[in-house]
Amino acid sequence: MIKACVFDLDDVLIHEGFDEPILCDETKECLKYLRSRNIIIALATLNLDADNILETLGISSYFDHIIAIDDLSSKMTHFARLKPLLPHLSYNQMAFFDDVEENIISVGGLGVKCHHVDYAS
């Protein structure tokens, strides 16, 4: 059973490339649903302005953990920092949503249930 959902920010929860962040249509409803089910919600992003963006969009209160580090190699670094914050969970109890296929493959290797998000298609 999934007990934690981890999201990338840009092009997953918000649309990237605009002057002001634009929340994707489903984001708020998805976060509300997860919160109602007592699912831990985390953010794993390269966007170092994530805290401000979430606050501006009025969704920061949904997140239990925010891991914002500028490591272009992969999201494995994010999960290495997140795991100690969730010692009671195994990787197979986590779901991860990202728009970069390489991140899906690498994090999936940990046993995390990964979902590729592609708003372009």
Side-chain angles (χ1 to χ4, degrees):
M1 172 179 271
I2 299 298
K3 297 187 177 186
C5 286
V6 182
F7 296 91
D8 177 41
L9 181 61
D10 298 316
D11 284 336
V12 174
L13 298 179
I14 66 169
H15 294 290
E16 186 176 32
F18 296 92
D19 291 335
E20 296 294 322
I22 298 173
L23 203 59
C24 295
D25 294 338
E26 308 86 5
T27 298
K28 204 167 218 176
E29 288 306 311
C30 176
L31 296 173
K32 284 180 185 178
Y33 174 78
L34 293 172
R35 181 59 64 219
S36 75
R37 308 285 292 170
N38 294 316
I39 303 292
I40 295 165
I41 303 171
L43 189 72
T45 183
L46 301 174
N47 192 326
L48 300 180
D49 199 33
D51 286 316
N52 292 330
I53 292 170
L54 297 177
E55 188 69 34
T56 298
L57 294 171
I59 60 172
S60 61
S61 63
Y62 290 104
F63 291 88
D64 300 294
H65 304 288
I66 297 172
I67 309 295
I69 52 176
D70 193 10
D71 180 352
L72 298 176
S73 59
S74 84
K75 290 289 174 77
M76 296 293 284
T77 306
H78 293 76
F79 273 81
R81 292 202 183 170
L82 180 62
K83 185 64 174 95
L85 301 174
L86 305 171
H88 58 290
L89 297 183
S90 62
Y91 283 123
N92 66 2
Q93 293 175 302
M94 299 179 191
F96 176 53
F97 301 82
D98 200 303
D99 62 314
V100 177
E101 187 69 31
E102 293 83 9
N103 292 334
I104 296 299
I105 293 167
S106 62
V107 172
L110 297 172
V112 176
K113 176 80 172 158
C114 295
H115 303 275
H116 184 244
V117 177
D118 184 5
Y119 284 113
S121 59

